[in-house]
């Protein structure tokens, strides 16, 4: 039964029903119990006053905040002498009761007293209670601690800001791993509209990285947020084709605050595009590694008595992390100065990596027989252009790729090639060819620059060998 029933006061919030001895006594009692249950179950503190300012209702949240029980509160006239300081009583009562004459709700902030003598700053919302005749019959007042209200407002403001103005992507993913809310930044990153992305499987939005992302979301739903952000490479579908992007992702599990037991509502997924920074980091790391390899190769080659062996040392150090196979072909006869070649240039194999098990490159070509390169071979083009040449088989079946490689006198598993000319003292000495299998990407411009650095060192060693009569 509500507190108003026990005190004998009443208003339009809880009219007295017929007595328990009347024909509808049980129904009236049930209505009062329902009203009491509703009031006590509210998350906000609530009290009500009749037209004379007497407290008629006081729920459990009000008791929790101020410490006064409903039995102690109901029946008192206003807050004077118990819930507010005497100096503030008139002003507080005037603000609350003014709601009977004002349209809509009135919002105020003032300090109330707790039962133990403390003070609590509260924010109130009050409005008039109308009687059957439409005239004001009292006032109801809902209040909460100001800091609680401010926390709520901050949470709402943060949520709205994240989904409107955030400079990183924010996506709420439901328990089925489908986007439920997407902010503008995330929609732009995914290349779709904010509404068209909702409810769609992630596999329809991303071309690559879906499995890794879904695995992370599933883990968060089951175990909670990871201790640190994760970097995930994804493929985003665009009108110009798939673009590979690196997203630094943070995840938080969302649970309902209304349930007694935590019920997962989904996952909050925040991400930032760090592709450029990641690529710069990778390029810097690769450059450091290659510079270190060149340095180590130079020191090792300096200890070789045979210049041809020094050339092979440079070749072996260059292969690490760069290519699967490598070849050194030297111009048959003497080195060719620019514009002095008579007829087609022929190349003789000087060194090559083993075609079977991995191992150091082997010197060859003692017989001096030219390699059977056909017209238009990348190595011959390299000599003619006096510059690097890249070649790839493209997207063809495995048997066609093998035919392509074998026709160019390369191992059958080769799908990418890079030829760099060997130049020393203004003359062309030959060609160094780096070869990659299907497990590696095709050669880029930065790879050609590195191959040219290696070619300079190999050419110097071969030229030295020619001078001293050892190569």
């Amino acid at each position: 039964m509500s507190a108003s029933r026990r005190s004998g006061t009443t208003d339009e919030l809880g009219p007295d029903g017929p007595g328990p001895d009347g024909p509808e006594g049980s129904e009236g009692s049930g209505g009062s119990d329902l009203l009491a249950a509703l009031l006590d179950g509210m998350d906000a503190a609530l009290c009500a006053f009749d037209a004379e300012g007497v407290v008629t209702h006081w729920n459990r949240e009000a008791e929790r905040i101020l410490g006064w029980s409903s039995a102690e509160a109901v029946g008192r006239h206003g807050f004077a002498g118990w819930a507010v300081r005497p100096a503030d009583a008139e002003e507080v009562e005037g603000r609350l009761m003014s709601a009977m004459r004002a349209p809509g709700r009135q919002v105020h902030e003032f300090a109330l007293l707790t039962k133990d003598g403390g003070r609590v700053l509260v924010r109130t919302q009050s409005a008039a209670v109308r009687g059957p005749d439409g005239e004001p019959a009292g006032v109801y007042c809902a209040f909460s601690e100001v800091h609680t209200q401010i926390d709520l407002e901050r949470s709402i403001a943060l949520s709205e800001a994240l989904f409107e103005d955030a400079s990183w992507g924010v996506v709420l993913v439901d328990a089925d791993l489908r986007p439920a809310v997407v902010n503008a930044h995330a929609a732009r990153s995914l290349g779709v509209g904010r509404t068209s992305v909702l409810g769609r499987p992630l596999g329809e939005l991303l071309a690559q990285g879906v499995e890794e992302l879904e695995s992370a979301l599933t883990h968060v739903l089951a175990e909670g947020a990871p201790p640190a952000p994760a970097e995930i490479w994804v493929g985003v579908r665009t009108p110009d084709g798939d673009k590979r992007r690196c997203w630094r992702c943070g995840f938080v599990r969302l649970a309902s605050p209304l349930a007694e037991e935590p019920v997962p509502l989904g996952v909050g997924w925040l991400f930032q595009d760090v592709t450029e920074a990641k690529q710069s980091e990778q390029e810097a790391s690769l450059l450091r590694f290659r510079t270190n390899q060149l340095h180590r190769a130079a020191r090792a080659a300096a200890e070789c008595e045979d210049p041809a062996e020094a050339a092979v040392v440079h070749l072996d150090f260059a292969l690490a992390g760069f290519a699967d196979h490598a070849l050194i072909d030297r111009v048959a006869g003497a080195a060719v100065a620019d514009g002095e070649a008579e007829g087609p240039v022929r190349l003789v194999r000087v060194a090559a990596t083993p075609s079977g098990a991995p191992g150091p490159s082997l010197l060859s070509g003692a017989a001096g027989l030219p390699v059977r390169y056909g017209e238009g071979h990348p190595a011959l083009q390299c000599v003619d252009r006096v510059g690097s040449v890249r070649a790839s088989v493209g997207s063809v079946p495995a048997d066609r790729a093998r035919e392509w490689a074998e026709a160019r006198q390369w191992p059958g598993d080769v799908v990418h090639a890079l030829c760099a000319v060997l130049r020393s003292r203004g003359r062309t000495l030959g060609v160094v060819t780096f070869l990659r299998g299907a497990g590696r990407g095709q050669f880029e411009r930065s790879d050609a620059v590195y191959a040219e650095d290696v070619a300079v060192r190999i050419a110097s060693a071969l030229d030295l060998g020619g001078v001293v009569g050892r190569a």
Side-chain angles (χ1 to χ4, degrees), residues 32-58:
S32 299
D33 291 341
L34 176 60
L35 175 60
L38 291 174
L39 294 179
D40 286 340
M42 294 177 64
D43 291 331
L46 186 138
C47 64
F49 304 87
D50 62 15
E52 284 72 36
V54 176
V55 178
T56 60
H57 293 78
W58 189 265

Side-chain angles (χ1 to χ4, degrees), residues 64-227:
R64 185 194 67 79
I65 294 176
L66 299 180
W68 301 97
S69 67
S70 60
E72 295 170 312
V74 172
R76 292 179 180 265
H77 189 282
F79 286 152
W82 62 289
V84 296
R85 296 189 309 171
D88 300 333
E90 183 177 352
E91 178 186 1
V92 170
E93 183 175 353
R95 288 187 183 182
L96 291 176
M97 300 309 293
S98 66
M100 284 200 304
R101 299 178 300 275
R105 293 180 297 175
Q106 303 294 308
V107 179
H108 302 287
E109 289 184 5
F110 44 75
L112 296 181
L113 295 179
T114 62
K115 187 175 181 179
D116 59 8
R119 299 183 72 197
V120 178
L121 184 63
V122 300
R123 178 174 296 176
T124 66
Q125 295 187 34
S126 53
V129 177
R130 304 288 175 179
D133 56 358
E135 294 298 320
V139 174
Y140 80 83
C141 172
F143 63 91
S144 61
E145 297 174 82
V146 167
H147 72 82
T148 302
Q149 183 71 19
I150 292 177
D151 287 345
L152 175 61
E153 292 178 2
R154 284 173 177 162
S155 297
I156 296 173
L158 174 61
S159 176
E160 292 180 350
L162 285 175
F163 285 102
E164 294 297 333
D165 306 321
S167 59
W168 55 87
V170 182
V171 181
L172 296 190
V173 182
D174 62 23
D176 294 327
L177 306 186
R178 300 190 179 209
V181 185
V182 178
N183 76 341
H185 186 96
R188 288 194 300 269
S189 298
L190 292 167
V192 293
R194 292 184 65 177
T195 55
S196 60
V197 70
L198 304 183
R200 295 172 59 183
L202 294 174
E204 294 182 5
L205 305 173
L206 300 174
Q208 299 175 1
V210 177
E211 295 80 4
E212 186 176 358
L213 179 57
E214 289 184 341
S215 176
L217 294 171
T218 302
H219 173 81
V220 173
L221 281 172
E223 304 293 337

Side-chain angles (χ1 to χ4, degrees), residues 17-34:
D21 297 332
E24 298 180 2
S26 59
E27 182 181 351
S29 175
S32 299
D33 291 341
L34 176 60

Side-chain angles (χ1 to χ4, degrees), residues 103-464:
R105 293 180 297 175
Q106 303 294 308
V107 179
H108 302 287
E109 289 184 5
F110 44 75
L112 296 181
L113 295 179
T114 62
K115 187 175 181 179
D116 59 8
R119 299 183 72 197
V120 178
L121 184 63
V122 300
R123 178 174 296 176
T124 66
Q125 295 187 34
S126 53
V129 177
R130 304 288 175 179
D133 56 358
E135 294 298 320
V139 174
Y140 80 83
C141 172
F143 63 91
S144 61
E145 297 174 82
V146 167
H147 72 82
T148 302
Q149 183 71 19
I150 292 177
D151 287 345
L152 175 61
E153 292 178 2
R154 284 173 177 162
S155 297
I156 296 173
L158 174 61
S159 176
E160 292 180 350
L162 285 175
F163 285 102
E164 294 297 333
D165 306 321
S167 59
W168 55 87
V170 182
V171 181
L172 296 190
V173 182
D174 62 23
D176 294 327
L177 306 186
R178 300 190 179 209
V181 185
V182 178
N183 76 341
H185 186 96
R188 288 194 300 269
S189 298
L190 292 167
V192 293
R194 292 184 65 177
T195 55
S196 60
V197 70
L198 304 183
R200 295 172 59 183
L202 294 174
E204 294 182 5
L205 305 173
L206 300 174
Q208 299 175 1
V210 177
E211 295 80 4
E212 186 176 358
L213 179 57
E214 289 184 341
S215 176
L217 294 171
T218 302
H219 173 81
V220 173
L221 281 172
E223 304 293 337
E231 292 180 351
I232 300 177
W233 284 93
V234 300
V236 180
R237 294 188 175 95
T238 68
D240 300 328
D242 296 345
K243 289 188 177 181
R244 195 163 180 260
R245 313 299 297 172
C246 181
W247 290 344
R248 181 171 292 143
C249 303
F251 304 94
V252 290
R253 181 168 61 179
L254 306 178
S256 172
L258 303 179
E260 294 183 5
E261 296 294 333
V263 178
L265 294 178
V267 176
W269 169 31
L270 294 84
F271 66 89
Q272 188 175 26
D273 194 320
V274 294
T275 306
E276 294 183 3
K278 199 67 178 175
Q279 289 176 340
S280 298
E281 179 184 327
Q282 291 176 345
E283 290 172 0
S285 177
L286 182 60
L287 180 61
R288 286 194 300 270
F289 173 76
R290 290 179 174 177
T291 302
N292 187 46
Q293 286 296 98
L294 291 174
H295 174 72
R296 293 174 61 197
R299 294 189 60 183
E303 302 301 322
C304 297
E305 184 178 352
D306 185 355
E309 183 182 350
V312 170
V313 166
H314 282 292
L315 188 67
D316 288 338
F317 272 94
L319 275 177
F322 183 67
D324 299 311
H325 307 284
L327 314 169
I328 298 178
D329 297 324
R330 187 166 184 173
V331 174
V336 179
D338 295 345
E340 295 183 1
E342 297 181 1
V345 174
R346 297 181 300 167
L347 298 174
V348 177
R349 181 67 42 82
V350 174
T353 52
S355 58
S361 301
L362 304 175
L363 291 170
S364 61
L369 299 177
V371 184
R372 295 181 297 106
Y373 286 153
E375 185 178 354
H377 191 281
L380 299 178
Q381 293 182 39
C382 181
V383 174
D384 292 339
R385 299 177 184 177
V386 193
S388 299
V389 174
R390 287 176 283 171
S392 293
V393 66
S395 300
V396 298
D399 55 342
R400 294 282 303 279
R402 177 173 290 276
E403 293 175 3
W404 178 84
E406 292 176 347
R408 287 157 180 77
Q409 309 302 313
W410 294 332
D413 60 343
V414 169
V415 295
H416 308 296
L418 170 60
C419 298
V421 65
L422 301 177
R423 297 276 295 177
S424 178
R425 294 190 295 161
R427 300 172 304 153
T428 299
L429 277 68
V431 178
V432 58
T433 303
F434 296 98
L435 305 170
R436 288 178 176 176
R440 298 177 184 266
Q442 47 186 321
F443 290 99
E444 304 292 341
R445 177 56 193 157
S446 59
D447 297 324
V449 172
Y450 179 60
E452 290 165 0
D453 285 343
V454 176
V456 169
R457 289 160 171 78
I458 293 175
S460 297
L462 293 179
D463 195 17
L464 177 61

